[in-house]
Amino acid sequence: MNKIIDNKTFLKEIKLCEKLSKKNNGRCAWGKCQDCGVIPLLYKFSKSVIIEDPEKIQEIKKKHLSF
């Protein structure tokens, strides 16, 4: 699998998620951060890694989001 987005874009998008999550108490215009699939999708597109394990998904979400 090839990288779809570069690391700079990945970091920019992760920072946006972090900012909105913190500012809006674990929410953004798309919904609750706890239920969101953006973080795993960003990892897939930038790191060429598919994360399917629910515990691993929660681990990376907690690393970046406020909930």
Side-chain angles (χ1 to χ4, degrees), residues 3-47:
K3 293 181 181 182
I4 295 172
I5 60 174
D6 61 21
N7 195 51
K8 182 179 177 182
T9 303
F10 170 76
L11 293 174
K12 179 181 168 186
E13 294 299 322
I14 288 287
K15 291 293 178 194
L16 179 60
C17 284
E18 289 174 351
K19 178 181 171 185
L20 290 172
S21 181
K22 185 176 273 187
K23 179 180 175 184
N24 298 314
N25 297 315
R27 296 186 69 87
C28 78
W30 289 13
K32 293 190 293 186
C33 297
Q34 187 173 14
D35 300 331
C36 185
V38 170
I39 299 291
L41 187 63
L42 289 172
Y43 270 79
K44 177 181 177 181
F45 287 166
S46 69
K47 311 280 187 214

Side-chain angles (χ1 to χ4, degrees), residues 45-65:
F45 287 166
S46 69
K47 311 280 187 214
S48 298
V49 174
I50 298 174
I51 303 169
E52 294 181 336
D53 177 37
E55 290 181 17
K56 182 67 174 171
I57 291 170
Q58 287 304 313
E59 182 182 310
I60 64 167
K61 283 183 180 183
K62 286 180 181 179
K63 178 179 175 183
H64 297 290
L65 304 174

